[in-house]
Amino acid sequence: MQEIKCPNCGKVFQVDETGYSQIVQQVRDKEFNKELERREEELSRKNESDLTIAKMEQDKLHSEEISKKNSEIAEKENEIERLRALLENADVEKKLAVSEAVQEKDRELSIKGTEITKLMSDIELQKKESELRENNLAEKHKGEIKLRDEEIERLKDFKARQSTKMIGESLEQHCMAQFNQIRMTAFPNAEFEKDNDASSGSKGDFIFRESAGGTEFISIMFEMKNEMDTTRTKHKNEDFFKELDKDRNEKNCEYAVLVSLLESDNELYNNGIVDVSYRYPKMFVVRPQFFIPIISLLRNAALNSLEYRQKLAYVQNQELELNNFEENLNTFKKSFADSFRLATDRYEDAIKGIDNAIAALNRIKENLMTSEKHLNTANNKIENVNIKRLTKNAPSVREKFEELKTEK
């Protein structure tokens, strides 16, 4: 129980805890509401004051901006007036210059006959100089045309052979040198040797083999074919496919590659690495510049399957079931073959670029030929120049020439 004293009568009475709490809550709520109303009034007055100050500052900034704009407009108007005055002065100076030029022209027309003779001499000299320049220009254009023709022939030869750099050496020696240059860095564990086993009646040129952990994961039979440009009977690449496939099978090689300079004008073989597995399985034809790239492509693809090959050897030794594994391996090989064919298509872009360059050089040649025709036309026009034509619209000059003729 709580005792409460009445402030009016002074009587003390008792209330329980619930009643006391209610009385206290009433008093607290009333005081809280009073304080809240007071705070709201103060906040309202403060906001109004801030708005008034902000409005005054905004009006001040606006006035300053308007004043600045007016000042800029006045400056631009002054600049316009100044430029207008300069333009008027320029017109006056132009008219004065035209007048002086006319007077100077009149003085020139009053030159005596000796000066006219000098003018004719200068015209004759200029004519000879023009003829000399035309001859020099024609010779220069002929030289440029010759250079363009040589450039076109060089590009055609580049397209067919593409920097094989085999001057004074055979194709086999060139390929061996190319491989030996990078053997220790790119293929330190590989074997690349001549095929000297002719027990079956034929042999290839080179065999590339590489193993890892006792498991051979890549083997390639190489055949190199070249012939002199003066050879009367030209061979085709297809002539050697059958024999190359036979050598590949007899030497237990997985791939067969024909490195060839035959059919130098055949666009199919000039485009890069050509997959001819539609004729014989796992066979490719390349130009000598793609000799190292074809090894790298086939080797890198085989490295991806090295783990599977090692597992296959283990399973074979244990006489386990191989059907599912071989199916997965064949799926991988098919996927690689598809990716490889897509990669070879990229080489076509380079060949198209060379074709475009040749076409551009041909257009330049045609333009130079047309320029030579125009120069000949200009030369004919100069030869037709005479005093009568030169003085067609200058009667005073023509009269001076007549006077000179009369004096002579």
Side-chain angles (χ1 to χ4, degrees):
M1 300 294 288
Q2 296 287 340
E3 292 183 354
I4 298 176
K5 183 178 181 180
C6 179
N8 294 326
C9 62
K11 182 180 180 180
V12 177
F13 56 93
Q14 293 183 347
V15 295
D16 58 10
E17 293 293 335
T18 302
Y20 181 79
S21 298
Q22 292 176 353
I23 293 171
V24 172
Q25 182 68 31
Q26 291 175 4
V27 174
R28 185 184 296 114
D29 291 344
K30 185 176 181 180
E31 293 299 324
F32 177 78
N33 290 333
K34 287 181 179 181
E35 181 66 20
L36 182 60
E37 290 176 357
R38 186 180 66 79
R39 293 288 182 89
E40 287 179 350
E41 290 177 359
E42 290 179 356
L43 183 61
S44 178
R45 287 194 297 272
K46 185 177 183 299
N47 288 339
E48 290 177 358
S49 176
D50 292 343
L51 288 173
T52 302
I53 294 172
K55 184 177 181 182
M56 293 175 64
E57 291 178 352
Q58 185 67 25
D59 293 340
K60 182 179 179 182
L61 292 174
H62 185 64
S63 299
E64 292 177 354
E65 186 176 354
I66 291 174
S67 177
K68 184 178 179 181
K69 291 291 183 182
N70 291 334
S71 176
E72 292 178 354
I73 292 172
E75 291 179 358
K76 290 183 178 179
E77 289 178 350
N78 293 334
E79 182 68 15
I80 291 172
E81 291 297 330
R82 186 181 67 82
L83 293 175
R84 188 175 295 160
L86 290 176
L87 183 60
E88 292 176 356
N89 292 335
D91 290 338
V92 173
E93 293 177 356
K94 182 178 179 181
K95 291 179 181 179
L96 181 60
V98 171
S99 177
E100 292 177 353
V102 172
Q103 293 177 2
E104 182 67 23
K105 192 66 177 178
D106 292 339
R107 286 195 297 270
E108 290 178 358
L109 292 176
S110 62
I111 297 175
K112 295 180 181 181
T114 55
E115 294 179 352
I116 296 177
T117 303
K118 182 177 180 298
L119 178 61
M120 291 185 62
S121 176
D122 292 339
I123 292 173
E124 189 67 24
L125 180 61
Q126 290 178 359
K127 181 179 178 180
K128 291 181 179 179
E129 290 178 352
S130 178
E131 292 176 352
L132 181 61
R133 283 196 300 269
E134 289 175 1
N135 292 334
N136 292 337
L137 188 59
E139 291 296 328
K140 181 181 178 181
H141 284 179
K142 289 180 180 179
E144 290 178 351
I145 292 173
K146 183 179 178 181
L147 291 175
R148 293 299 183 277
D149 291 337
E150 292 175 354
E151 183 67 9
I152 290 172
E153 292 300 323
R154 188 185 68 80
L155 286 174
K156 288 181 178 179
D157 183 69
F158 175 79
K159 182 179 178 182
R161 298 186 180 271
Q162 295 186 347
S163 302
T164 55
K165 297 180 181 179
M166 289 179 291
I167 299 176
E169 61 179 2
S170 69
L171 180 55
E172 294 181 14
Q173 292 172 341
H174 168 74
C175 293
M176 175 61 81
Q178 290 291 311
F179 184 86
N180 288 334
Q181 287 177 2
I182 62 172
R183 179 193 289 267
M184 296 308 299
T185 56
F187 312 106
N189 300 319
E191 298 178 4
F192 183 74
E193 303 296 338
K194 287 281 294 181
D195 180 15
N196 297 319
D197 182 10
S199 58
S200 62
S202 65
K203 63 184 180 67
D205 290 328
F206 291 93
I207 296 178
F208 174 91
R209 297 184 186 275
E210 188 169 358
S211 303
T215 301
E216 181 182 285
F217 62 93
I218 181 68
S219 58
I220 308 172
M221 170 64 71
F222 284 95
E223 183 75 18
M224 284 70 175
K225 290 299 178 183
N226 189 12
E227 63 184 4
M228 298 295 293
D229 293 337
T230 56
T231 303
R232 180 173 299 178
T233 303
K234 300 293 184 181
H235 290 92
K236 293 184 177 182
N237 290 315
E238 293 185 0
D239 298 339
F240 305 95
F241 288 175
K242 183 177 180 181
E243 191 70 17
L244 178 57
D245 184 67
K246 176 175 174 289
D247 293 335
R248 177 183 73 88
N249 291 323
E250 290 178 350
K251 304 302 168 56
N252 296 321
C253 293
E254 184 176 3
Y255 297 95
V257 175
L258 176 64
V259 182
S260 170
L261 280 172
L262 306 179
E263 299 181 70
S264 59
D265 295 329
N266 192 322
E267 293 296 329
L268 173 63
Y269 299 112
N270 289 334
N271 284 337
I273 298 174
V274 181
D275 183 0
V276 293
S277 57
Y278 58 90
R279 294 292 306 276
Y280 294 93
K282 297 185 177 182
M283 183 177 293
F284 302 89
V285 180
V286 300
R287 293 304 188 196
Q289 63 271 19
F290 298 109
F291 168 67
I292 297 299
I294 187 64
I295 297 178
S296 298
L297 286 171
L298 296 177
R299 176 181 178 273
N300 291 337
L303 277 174
N304 294 330
S305 64
L306 176 59
E307 180 181 357
Y308 302 105
R309 291 174 184 268
Q310 292 174 340
K311 289 181 179 180
L312 178 60
Y314 174 79
V315 171
Q316 287 175 337
N317 292 334
Q318 298 298 321
E319 296 181 355
L320 299 177
E321 180 62 36
L322 300 177
N323 291 335
N324 293 334
F325 181 82
E326 289 177 350
E327 182 178 356
N328 294 334
L329 182 60
N330 291 332
T331 301
F332 166 78
K333 290 181 178 180
K334 183 179 182 300
S335 177
F336 162 72
D338 294 339
S339 300
F340 187 85
R341 280 192 290 271
L342 291 175
T344 57
D345 294 340
R346 297 296 183 184
Y347 288 100
E348 295 179 1
D349 294 338
I351 302 304
K352 290 180 181 178
I354 294 175
D355 290 336
N356 293 336
I358 293 174
L361 290 173
N362 284 326
R363 287 195 296 271
I364 293 173
K365 177 181 177 181
E366 293 174 0
N367 292 335
L368 290 174
M369 296 295 291
T370 304
S371 175
E372 184 178 8
K373 293 180 181 178
H374 290 318
L375 288 173
N376 292 332
T377 303
N379 184 43
N380 294 333
K381 290 182 179 179
I382 290 178
E383 291 178 355
N384 293 329
V385 173
N386 52 41
I387 298 301
K388 184 176 181 181
R389 290 178 179 271
L390 292 174
T391 60
K392 180 179 179 181
N393 297 323
S396 59
V397 176
R398 186 167 60 250
E399 290 176 1
K400 293 295 182 179
F401 278 107
E402 296 296 333
E403 291 177 3
L404 286 174
K405 290 181 180 179
T406 303
E407 291 177 0
K408 290 182 179 180

